DNA sequence: TCAGAATAATACGGCACCGAAACGAATGGT
DNA sequence: ACCATTCGTTTCGGTGCCGTATTATTCTGA
């Protein structure tokens, strides 16, 4: 099952999924989505500093994104016990479900693509 | 060339492309991207009212998105000559290039996906 | 013709985010 | 024991988007 997406199919897929996201009022910014998926796809541990470097944004951006996503219970923070300056970002059940749901949306839209 | 994206591949693709978008500072919101792609993928003509209905958002959202995207020269507005209440949203060269570029990013990232 | 509907734009108050700078806590080197 | 460094957070001023309500313009139908 090779992944063969041509440009027009790619755009159609991007359009359809974004439309779905807008429809269900999932108002996460592009940055927040990038952060969320990094946390759930890349191997832990994740720190503020590491995420900032990975996304090439400033640390306050990460802190604020974690604040807002934390309110939505999509991620949690914990102090690193070995180096108490560090904060370890952890996954949550609700976050895992949300990510899984996004995967389902994309997969479903990809299936519907015209060949 | 069937499109077969499984959930994990979908998420990886979404993550990678969003990361690219963040990296190059293309700070369009999810709504704006949905609007832009609708304009460039769906058959014209496009009106404020039509886009608002399609995205299920209020009309001021469309007006403001057109304002900001107009500043970036991604779209243009023109009064409908037949019914002067209407505004026709038109594509621009810069907008077409931006959309094309997005398609390339997605396609490239899809190619890199682990099987 | 003219009252009402339809369309897009604007006004308003509120909220969230941004970048830069400053800050407090914790660490590590000497 | 110090002091520079690291790390995450907070503060500051500014910007942009949101939803609701209102406006100006244009069309339509009786």
């Amino acid at each position: 099952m090779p992944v063969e997406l041509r440009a027009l199919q790619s755009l159609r897929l991007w359009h359809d999924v974004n439309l779905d996201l807008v429809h269900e009022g999932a108002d996460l910014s592009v940055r927040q989505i990038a952060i969320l998926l990094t946390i759930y796809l890349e191997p832990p541990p994740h720190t503020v500093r590491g995420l900032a470097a990975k996304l090439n944004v400033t640390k306050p951006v990460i802190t604020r994104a974690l604040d807002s996503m934390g309110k939505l219970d999509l991620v949690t923070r914990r102090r690193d016990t070995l180096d108490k300056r560090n904060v370890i970002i952890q996954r949550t059940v609700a976050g895992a479900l949300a990510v899984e749901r996004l995967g389902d949306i994309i997969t479903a839209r990809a299936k519907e693509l015209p060949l």
Side-chain angles (χ1 to χ4, degrees), chain A:
Chain A
M1 318 273 142
V3 177
E4 289 269 349
L5 271 180
R6 278 161 307 182
L8 202 64
Q9 287 180 321
S10 299
L11 289 170
R12 171 59 60 184
L13 175 63
W14 212 256
H15 169 262
D16 292 346
V17 175
N18 273 297
L19 213 52
D20 286 342
L21 294 180
V22 170
H23 275 154
E24 68 186 49
D27 49 355
L28 289 184
S29 70
V30 175
R31 280 183 174 188
Q32 287 171 335
I33 294 174
I35 294 172
L36 187 67
L37 289 181
T38 297
I39 294 169
Y40 279 83
L41 292 180
E42 305 275 315
H46 298 288
T47 63
V48 173
R49 158 183 101 272
L51 290 172
K54 177 128 203 158
L55 302 199
N56 198 29
V57 296
T58 59
K59 287 187 291 178
V61 167
I62 304 296
T63 294
R64 286 183 292 243
L66 294 179
D67 286 344
S68 52
M69 293 196 293
K71 271 183 207 158
L72 301 174
D73 197 33
L74 297 176
V75 294
T76 318
R77 275 184 275 206
R78 192 201 60 184
R79 276 283 163 190
D80 184 351
T81 50
L82 284 94
D83 186 339
K84 290 181 189 140
R85 290 173 301 181
N86 291 334
V87 160
I88 307 294
I89 291 93
Q90 293 181 297
R91 305 168 186 177
T92 64
V93 174
L97 284 176
V99 169
E100 194 179 320
R101 175 165 168 68
L102 174 59
D104 289 344
I105 291 178
I106 303 170
T107 303
R109 287 305 193 176
K111 271 206 181 65
E112 294 173 2
L113 283 182
L115 303 184

